[in-house]
Amino acid sequence: MSFADSPVLIVNRGEIAIRVARSCKALGFPVHCIYSDADRNSEYLQYSEKAYALGSSAPKESYLNIEKIIKIAKKSGAKLIHPGYGFLSERAQFVEEVTQAGLIFVGPTAASMRTMGNKIEARKTVDRLGLLRVPGSLDRVNSAQEAAGFAKQVGYPILLKAAAGGGGKGMRRVDSENNLPGAFDAAAREALSAFGDEGLYVEKLIINPHHVEVQIFGDGLGSAIQLGERECSVQRRHQKIWEESPSPLLEKFPSSREKMFEAAIKIAESVNYAGAGTIEFIMDEKGNFYFLEMNTRLQVEHPVTEWITGIDLVGWQLLLATGQFKLPASIPVRRGCAIEVRIYAEDPVSFLPAPGAVHEIRLPSGPFVRVDSSMMRSGEVSVFYDPLIAKISVWANDRTECLQRLRVALDETEVRGELNNVDLKLGSLMTNLRFLQKLVRNTKVLAGETSTDLIIREKKFLDQTQTPLNIEAAIAGALVNLTSLTGCPQHKHMVSLWERQARNEGILYP
Ligand code: ADP
């Protein structure tokens, strides 16, 4: 098949659509994209030559609507379909329909998605390979009684997890048999409403674990390589907000790292995996690790790996899809340290989404600072989709330097909601930016002691964070001596957007 001048259709939105478009352009592919009503004015549309309307904004009617997307794909003349992450990126049915339409899905086959992208099937595969997974039931459990049987085997506390779960949703901790029947019914109801599937399985709850994952890349012919690990233990609501490589925990256990890499490659090769994928593990403080799940797609946090390996992962995906890829003869060298943080539109206390208008945004720059965002000047965080505003990642020779660089980058960043939004109204934008600015100064984070319960353990330290949303708060914030608040002398010289606005309005000292 010749790919000359045939566009890549990116069937996603936001920052990942821009990210993918950049690699397409670098390799000479024209870029086409799709948009829903809510995205009519989104910045990412400016990165593509043609944009096709999907209509309604609800995901089911737009970015998850296979029929509409296949129709657009045929009309666009695209030969390659890039799914980004989320939405249809892990739907085997979508891969099949793309293939049936004579087009190429940039990603793994439907078969490997069915085997490894499904949590239960993946656990069975890992068992067959003789690797360690989190202990618990191998299959779905049909009743609280059945769950209690597994809980007895592995010991309390356990986690009830939705078989069709994802995005940190559908998990429920159970500490004793007495609580199991109630928890089981509630978890099944939640799973049904969130995923349309009430199936649950049981896992032993690993106490204060670390989340460590391995980036792999497979050639689709039975060979795969590892591209290093990422530690993603800083989480809220079981979802990542900070990812880094190398993993501070694995630095203490070099032999666990080698075993983890071997396990990840074995899993990828067992399904003839094609392209970028991530094998996630849960690890305890003694260096024991257990398979958690596989993500059969590009990961949100892939920039961390790109920093330490110098590889353009999307570029590799495109080369593989067009038959121009060969795995390197030796494993790419990993250099230095990289950290990524995710700025979300969310309440910094409850961590629930708080989307709204972004009146002004100032994103950082400087040596070894990367920003992945679809908001360059202003925009809107839609209620319909993931409330990610920006990913900021930095690279340095070592972790200490990397943390310093990240602190400066976060201090340069400002995200501001509606202009003159004097009252804190429901529907006003809130962000976790101040929270992240505190996090990068936390002693546990600085020491690399970041198990998944860190945010709960450090609540007191992190709770001082507030995101000023209005002029009153801006004045209050600006008048506080920020040096004493953060212990960071750089703040003295920063003029925040809040402060600038107050100055413009003559409310604050010049
Ligand atoms: P999802 O697919 O919804 O993201 P995962 O299975 O990947 O769910 O788990 C997300 C996070 O939840 C993990 O990174 C970890 O913090 C926590 N978690 C999941 N399973 C366990 C477990 N068995 N013990 C302890 N923590 C867990």
Side-chain angles (χ1 to χ4, degrees):
M1 193 187 266
S2 161
F3 294 92
D5 296 329
S6 73
V8 177
L9 180 70
I10 302 171
V11 294
N12 212 303
R13 62 179 298 281
E15 69 86 15
I16 194 61
I18 296 179
R19 162 70 194 92
V20 173
R22 286 182 169 137
S23 291
C24 292
K25 289 177 190 184
L27 290 172
F29 292 105
V31 174
H32 288 188
C33 70
I34 55 176
Y35 66 98
S36 69
D37 286 347
D39 277 326
R40 197 170 282 151
N41 298 315
S42 289
E43 184 114 4
Y44 77 90
L45 300 181
Q46 291 172 27
Y47 289 73
S48 87
E49 286 162 32
K50 258 193 186 161
Y52 299 88
L54 291 159
S56 330
S57 303
K60 264 193 185 158
E61 307 290 313
S62 53
Y63 301 99
L64 286 174
N65 191 310
I66 296 181
E67 206 185 315
K68 276 187 192 171
I69 291 174
I70 296 285
K71 240 188 220 157
I72 290 172
K74 285 181 178 162
K75 194 166 95 186
S76 73
K79 286 186 180 142
L80 298 159
I81 310 295
H82 198 297
Y85 57 70
F87 293 124
L88 295 171
S89 62
E90 291 183 280
R91 287 276 179 93
Q93 186 204 339
F94 181 60
V95 181
E96 282 160 355
E97 296 207 20
V98 166
T99 315
Q100 275 159 22
L103 308 173
I104 295 173
F105 178 81
V106 183
T109 60
S112 49
M113 254 183 211
R114 286 216 162 89
T115 314
M116 287 312 299
N118 173 299
K119 286 172 184 263
I120 302 267
E121 288 309 311
R123 283 164 71 77
K124 290 181 182 170
T125 309
V126 164
D127 270 13
R128 273 197 299 274
L129 294 172
L131 299 168
L132 275 185
R133 55 158 168 93
V134 183
S137 67
L138 188 55
D139 232 314
R140 293 166 181 241
V141 284
N142 295 314
S143 64
Q145 218 176 359
E146 204 183 324
F150 285 106
K152 254 196 200 108
Q153 279 173 28
V154 299
Y156 286 93
I158 56 155
L159 264 186
L160 291 173
K161 291 174 92 168
K169 290 187 214 116
M171 280 179 232
R172 202 165 262 250
R173 175 180 172 146
V174 186
D175 287 281
S176 71
E177 191 162 345
N178 288 346
N179 301 335
L180 196 45
F184 189 90
D185 291 344
R189 268 199 311 275
E190 264 168 39
L192 185 65
S193 86
F195 310 108
D197 175 352
E198 61 183 354
L200 300 176
Y201 67 103
V202 174
E203 257 181 25
K204 180 172 178 57
L205 182 90
I206 313 289
I207 303 292
N208 304 345
H210 290 241
H211 174 119
V212 184
E213 57 186 36
V214 180
Q215 174 71 55
I216 57 93
F217 201 94
D219 65 1
L221 302 168
S223 295
I225 55 167
Q226 53 80 14
L227 297 171
E229 81 277 4
R230 294 179 291 253
E231 176 153 355
C232 317
S233 300
V234 184
Q235 304 181 349
R236 43 80 181 110
R237 294 191 290 110
H238 300 302
Q239 280 183 286
K240 308 158 185 169
I241 50 169
W242 169 301
E243 302 98 353
E244 63 180 290
S245 190
S247 148
L249 184 62
L250 275 186
E251 291 286 82
K252 295 186 205 156
F253 298 102
S255 69
S256 295
R257 175 183 275 127
E258 289 317 309
K259 283 186 200 138
M260 193 181 275
F261 286 169
E262 270 170 37
I265 292 170
K266 198 168 174 182
I267 291 168
E269 292 187 340
S270 78
V271 291
N272 290 342
Y273 194 79
T278 295
I279 320 279
E280 297 187 335
F281 298 92
I282 282 279
M283 193 167 167
D284 68 22
E285 308 237 321
K286 292 186 197 134
N288 304 307
F289 63 86
Y290 309 90
F291 170 81
L292 187 63
E293 65 164 353
M294 178 169 184
N295 288 321
T296 54
R297 56 169 161 83
L298 190 70
Q299 205 88 330
V300 177
E301 58 271 24
H302 75 276
V304 168
T305 300
E306 296 189 322
W307 272 125
I308 59 156
T309 60
I311 292 166
D312 172 349
L313 280 171
V314 177
W316 272 26
Q317 287 185 306
L318 292 165
L319 291 176
L320 181 68
T322 52
Q324 303 170 69
F325 180 78
K326 236 184 132 186
L327 281 178
S330 57
I331 295 160
V333 180
R334 301 189 300 278
R335 280 188 57 230
C337 173
I339 307 177
E340 174 188 277
V341 291
R342 306 185 191 184
I343 301 177
Y344 278 105
E346 69 182 24
D347 182 321
V349 178
S350 69
F351 303 120
L352 292 172
V358 175
H359 178 71
E360 199 174 349
I361 185 163
R362 180 166 69 185
L363 292 163
S365 184
F368 306 104
V369 176
R370 168 175 170 175
V371 173
D372 289 86
S373 175
S374 66
M375 265 178 226
M376 307 305 168
R377 290 167 285 273
S378 59
E380 168 103 32
V381 180
S382 166
V383 293
F384 291 103
Y385 316 116
D386 185 48
L388 180 69
I389 296 175
K391 303 186 302 202
I392 294 174
S393 57
V394 298
W395 180 90
N397 276 310
D398 60 39
R399 192 170 188 269
T400 306
E401 234 181 83
C402 205
L403 287 161
Q404 288 164 352
R405 219 162 245 166
L406 181 61
R407 173 167 50 73
V408 175
L410 282 169
D411 287 353
E412 272 182 30
T413 309
E414 289 289 351
V415 184
R416 185 170 148 188
E418 280 168 66
L419 187 65
N420 294 334
N421 176 14
V422 172
D423 298 315
L424 207 158
K425 289 179 291 197
L426 195 68
S428 304
L429 179 98
M430 285 192 260
T431 81
N432 65 344
L433 177 59
R434 301 280 175 258
F435 181 87
L436 293 172
Q437 288 169 344
K438 293 289 286 182
L439 197 59
V440 74
R441 295 173 164 87
N442 179 270
T443 49
K444 295 283 176 201
V445 170
L446 295 177
E449 292 164 15
T450 54
S451 51
T452 58
D453 59 335
L454 175 114
I455 288 176
I456 296 167
R457 272 193 287 130
E458 296 298 302
K459 196 170 182 338
K460 221 169 149 200
F461 175 86
L462 297 165
D463 259 4
Q464 295 168 33
T465 319
Q466 284 302 326
T467 307
L469 285 166
N470 51 46
I471 292 301
E472 278 168 1
I475 297 165
L479 293 177
V480 168
N481 178 342
L482 283 167
T483 304
S484 69
L485 192 69
T486 62
C488 169
Q490 279 90 329
H491 266 304
K492 257 191 190 157
H493 311 293
M494 297 294 293
V495 179
S496 72
L497 287 179
W498 324 102
E499 210 172 323
R500 268 201 284 152
Q501 176 64 22
R503 284 181 188 182
N504 290 344
E505 295 187 5
I507 309 172
L508 203 62
Y509 51 84

